[in-house]
Amino acid sequence: HKSWYKHGELHNEHGPAIVWPDGREYWFLDGVQYYEWLFPFAVKSKLVRGIKRLHDYIINVFYRITH
């Protein structure tokens, strides 16, 4: 079978993290398994959280510089 990992955990943001020769697929992000139909929402949510963290960091730095 084929499998994808990130930091030792099953992870693939672009498709299933495990693919078996018989066609079975398993979808993971950061070691957490998702149903295939739910996977796109999990990826989007992860990206949104990352963007929010970056936004909060920029605002925090800006605040420290200006005050």
Side-chain angles (χ1 to χ4, degrees), residues 15-20 22-28 33-34 36:
I18 302 174
V19 179
W20 289 93
D22 65 6
R24 288 178 292 152
E25 298 177 331
Y26 298 92
W27 305 73
F28 286 81
Q33 186 174 3
Y34 292 89
E36 181 179 357

Side-chain angles (χ1 to χ4, degrees), residues 31-54:
V32 177
Q33 186 174 3
Y34 292 89
Y35 291 108
E36 181 179 357
W37 65 269
L38 188 58
F39 184 78
F41 301 104
V43 171
K44 182 177 180 182
S45 175
K46 180 179 178 179
L47 294 174
V48 167
R49 285 192 309 272
I51 292 168
K52 183 177 182 335
R53 280 194 303 269
L54 177 60

